Amino acid sequence: MKNVDMEIEKEAVLGSLPVLTGERLYGFIDALLILSGYCIATWSYTQGAYLTTLVGFKQLLIGAFFGAILMLVIYQLPVILSVRWGIDIWIWLRAVLGHKGVVLMSLIIIVINYPWYAVSADLFASSMNALAKKIHLPALPHTLMSVACVVIITPLALFPHRANYISELEGFEYYGGKFYRQLGTLGTRKFIDDMALIKNIQKVIKRGDIIVIYPEARYANVGTSTIIPNSVGKLCKMLDVPVVALTMHGNYLRSPIWNTKVRKQARLKAEIQQLFTPEELKNTSILQINEQIRQSISYDEYKWQKDNKIAITYSERAEGLELVLYKCPVCGKEFQITSKGSVLTCTGCNSKWTMNEYGEMLAENGHLQFSHIPDWYEWERANVIAEIDSGKYHFEGKVHIEALPNEYNFIDLGNGTIEHTPEGFLLTFKDYGEKEEKNLFFPANTTFSLHTEYNYRNKGQCITLSTYDNTYFLFPLTEGFNATKLQFAAEYLYKINFKSKGKKL
Amino acid sequence: MDNRELEKRLSLMESSSYIYPKPFSKKDYVLTAILALICLTVIIGGGFL
């Protein structure tokens, strides 16, 4: 007889025999501790998490503890009798109810328990969903693509050499600091003067390793390159090592930041080229270095799509595009554009544009249009610049604030206000643990650009502002907040502030 | 084997020297009922918080 069969027979025989007092392994205290442990590990987490979605904290405690005790004292009374005789509860029930009675009782208990099974299945499903997000399954495809670029494409391009990468602290919070560091990632905050990061970069170079920098430090809102600060050239000159540019095409088309659903037809293509040797760096000015870097990683994804005849058939391909194309080129109204499927509609003047499979915008009623999305985007930027130059630019609105002081967790700071003027951003809020409101000012000449998100962790659009110790994620609560417009304004205000100081950007 | 083992165990349990766990007394049942009532009261009261 096989071992398995023997075990089954043993269980069938010994499982029905009465257990003698002296054979019992656990006493009351042992059973209490062990079962309490199981309960905390399973019921408390699952039920606790579920109850928080329904009731407040006091009612949660009552529901979790008193509810469970009430049911258990009634439900478990027969257990006391079967335990006293050392027999299985179902065998004891057979003596009371008979064979058919036990079968009936089993069916009744299964039916009664079904609502609980439904809750458990729902909890299991949501847990798996959360886990799937944590390991970057298609629920967050853009994140998947971002990580893929770091962990697959770049290492492939650099193989057999290893590299260190620079990432915002938020990435450490999302993926887990341990995992992120194992990838060789150095943390920073966006658009601050991070001297610690410079020292870390120097350390990497000093030990002979490669440092990978994403010099734009932001998403490509419409698949075009953005301005790179002169400090990148300064850094190259200071490090005095070969400079290599790696440009990726198709990443934006595959999963644009304003609608991250993966478009499978978009292929990825990466180009790598050496820009400078250490000797060439010595003989080249910082401005020339920057110019060459800018040229080498200049891209226009929609042009690339058209040139390579990449048809994206995803039917909802324009949904979310109104977050970057927020101004109607026909009536000039802002934030009136809506999207559905592949169509953008201005609710102010009823103009419609259809995004074709090659990423071109076709006007349905023949109005003035930008068929090339980046042209529309740059037209909006020009409008913001004109607004600032005419002295009319001003934004103020309520925001919900979440702070990320470390790599571990966000802190909900409640609501506050953000004001953007030509002088900079003024954030008014109550900091963690403080009773009084405080003002935090971010001068225009310190915000080189602005980090924008369009559906950050399914919470909608947001911008971030960073100090050396904290990053504030600002989610709009009032109309008129548009992350793209604020970004345009911040970038231009930085530029004119620099020019007013006689510096070259 | 099972019958022999069963007989052996039953005879042991029937012997006067076999010590059973203490039975649930009337006091225990009353305490259980009180506990159930307290829980029920707190749950109903919790609904008004």
Side-chain angles (χ1 to χ4, degrees):
Chain A
M1 194 182 284
K2 289 178 184 173
N3 283 345
V4 178
D5 295 332
M6 281 177 70
E7 285 298 320
I8 291 169
E9 192 190 31
K10 195 174 158 188
E11 179 63 26
V13 172
L14 299 178
S16 61
L17 290 177
V19 178
L20 301 175
T21 312
E23 292 174 338
R24 297 179 194 193
L25 293 175
Y26 301 128
F28 174 76
I29 297 293
D30 304 314
L32 179 75
L33 293 175
I34 291 166
L35 294 175
S36 299
Y38 281 132
C39 284
I40 290 165
T42 53
W43 284 41
S44 295
Y45 286 137
T46 54
Q47 287 217 24
Y50 184 66
L51 283 172
T52 51
T53 66
L54 304 173
V55 293
F57 183 66
K58 287 176 189 169
Q59 288 169 324
L60 184 148
L61 287 179
I62 291 168
F65 289 99
F66 290 89
I69 291 169
L70 174 68
M71 288 314 295
L72 286 174
V73 291
I74 299 167
Y75 196 67
Q76 301 297 329
L77 275 177
V79 177
I80 294 162
L81 300 167
S82 71
V83 165
R84 178 166 154 71
W85 296 101
I87 50 177
D88 186 86
I89 191 164
W90 289 101
I91 292 169
W92 175 81
L93 278 175
R94 210 187 294 161
V96 178
L97 304 171
H99 183 72
K100 285 179 185 173
V102 168
V103 172
L104 184 67
M105 178 62 78
S106 314
L107 291 172
I108 290 169
I109 286 174
I110 290 169
V111 172
I112 287 172
N113 273 316
Y114 250 93
W116 165 243
Y117 296 150
V119 172
S120 300
D122 185 46
L123 288 166
F124 180 75
S126 55
S127 303
M128 287 299 106
N129 196 30
L131 277 173
K133 280 180 186 169
K134 202 74 186 169
I135 56 170
H136 333 304
L137 289 178
L140 281 173
H142 187 84
T143 311
L144 174 71
M145 291 313 303
S146 309
V147 175
C149 288
V150 176
V151 302
I152 300 171
I153 299 172
T154 312
L156 270 177
L158 297 176
F159 185 81
H161 306 286
R162 285 181 51 188
N164 286 85
Y165 307 85
I166 297 170
S167 168
E168 192 187 18
L169 211 61
E170 180 261 352
F172 287 77
E173 189 275 338
Y174 191 78
Y175 302 111
K178 196 175 176 186
F179 166 71
Y180 228 41
R181 284 198 183 81
Q182 287 299 314
L183 284 178
T185 313
L186 308 177
T188 186
R189 295 185 194 275
K190 282 199 180 185
F191 309 120
I192 62 161
D193 300 326
D194 190 346
M195 289 311 292
L197 178 67
I198 301 296
K199 287 194 172 183
N200 282 332
I201 291 171
Q202 281 181 312
K203 191 175 179 182
V204 169
I205 295 296
K206 203 173 174 183
R207 71 172 185 227
D209 284 336
I210 298 167
I211 185 80
V212 176
I213 299 170
Y214 299 86
E216 292 172 299
R218 59 165 301 107
Y219 299 120
N221 286 347
V222 288
T224 48
S225 40
T226 50
I227 192 161
I228 295 169
N230 275 344
S231 51
V232 175
K234 283 184 195 169
L235 183 69
C236 293
K237 202 144 175 112
M238 183 186 83
L239 296 176
D240 197 26
V241 286
V243 179
V244 173
L246 175 66
T247 316
M248 296 174 203
H249 292 289
N251 188 28
Y252 165 82
L253 295 174
R254 201 170 167 81
S255 178
I257 184 64
W258 40 267
N259 177 346
T260 55
K261 171 86 179 175
V262 168
R263 285 82 159 150
K264 290 177 184 169
Q265 291 94 350
R267 299 184 299 272
L268 292 174
K269 183 187 172 189
E271 293 166 348
I272 190 164
Q273 57 170 319
Q274 181 171 286
L275 301 180
F276 299 101
T277 61
E279 291 71 33
E280 286 168 338
L281 278 175
K282 278 177 194 143
N283 302 320
T284 312
S285 71
I286 291 169
L287 284 177
Q288 286 171 323
I289 294 169
N290 277 314
E291 192 51 38
Q292 200 159 335
I293 290 173
R294 281 167 191 157
Q295 277 178 12
S296 70
I297 58 173
S298 164
Y299 55 90
D300 180 337
E301 290 288 273
Y302 286 111
K303 185 176 180 303
W304 188 76
Q305 180 186 5
K306 206 172 158 187
D307 291 347
N308 290 278
K309 296 182 177 60
I310 299 167
I312 292 174
T313 56
Y314 172 49
S315 61
E316 291 161 5
R317 55 186 169 271
E319 289 194 3
L321 186 55
E322 76 280 6
L323 293 165
V324 282
L325 302 184
Y326 62 87
K327 188 172 179 121
C328 175
V330 179
C331 67
K333 286 183 182 165
E334 291 179 339
F335 322 126
Q336 300 293 313
I337 296 177
T338 59
S339 62
K340 187 163 179 62
S342 59
V343 179
L344 291 186
T345 306
C346 174
T347 54
C349 66
N350 208 30
S351 298
K352 286 183 192 293
W353 300 266
T354 302
M355 186 184 190
N356 73 9
E357 293 180 351
Y358 296 96
E360 292 171 304
M361 299 306 289
L362 307 175
E364 281 190 5
N365 36 15
H367 284 305
L368 172 71
Q369 56 160 308
F370 297 101
S371 64
H372 191 50
I373 288 170
D375 290 344
W376 189 333
Y377 182 74
E378 290 306 323
W379 172 78
E380 289 177 331
R381 186 195 297 274
N383 275 271
V384 175
I385 289 171
E387 201 177 324
I388 292 170
D389 287 342
S390 65
K392 290 177 185 167
Y393 179 78
H394 178 263
F395 170 75
E396 189 172 357
K398 273 191 175 181
V399 285
H400 182 78
I401 306 161
E402 291 191 24
L404 184 66
N406 52 41
E407 66 176 61
Y408 303 109
N409 57 306
F410 282 91
I411 296 172
D412 192 331
L413 297 182
N415 300 341
T417 57
I418 182 79
E419 187 180 4
H420 195 203
T421 62
E423 285 72 44
F425 285 99
L426 180 69
L427 181 64
T428 307
F429 67 109
K430 280 184 193 167
D431 213 341
Y432 181 67
E434 289 181 10
K435 288 179 182 173
E436 298 296 320
E437 278 197 335
K438 74 173 191 183
N439 291 324
L440 212 51
F441 184 60
F442 299 85
N445 63 356
T446 62
T447 48
F448 173 80
S449 185
L450 193 64
H451 179 68
T452 53
E453 294 275 357
Y454 296 103
N455 191 15
Y456 184 70
R457 303 195 186 186
N458 291 322
K459 293 177 190 172
Q461 59 172 326
C462 82
I463 59 168
T464 72
L465 292 170
S466 291
T467 62
Y468 292 108
D469 304 319
N470 217 332
T471 300
Y472 300 94
F473 287 69
L474 313 177
F475 298 87
L477 294 173
T478 45
E479 297 277 319
F481 180 110
N482 182 274
T484 313
K485 187 176 179 184
L486 289 169
Q487 176 211 323
F488 288 149
E491 287 175 352
Y492 182 62
L493 290 169
Y494 177 87
K495 202 172 174 179
I496 55 177
N497 268 278
F498 248 74
K499 276 185 181 171
S500 67
K501 288 185 179 177
K503 293 183 180 179
K504 282 184 179 176
L505 190 64
Chain B
M1 176 256 188
D2 50 337
N3 280 338
R4 268 184 284 128
E5 183 63 27
L6 186 63
E7 291 298 330
K8 185 182 150 194
R9 280 166 187 257
L10 287 178
S11 62
L12 272 170
M13 289 171 83
E14 281 166 0
S15 70
S16 56
S17 59
Y18 186 77
I19 302 167
Y20 278 102
K22 275 200 296 183
F24 226 51
S25 65
K26 190 180 174 183
K27 186 180 151 194
D28 294 320
Y29 279 109
V30 170
L31 282 174
T32 305
I34 290 170
L35 184 61
L37 275 173
I38 290 171
C39 290
L40 202 58
T41 311
V42 175
I43 289 167
I44 293 167
F48 296 97
L49 284 177

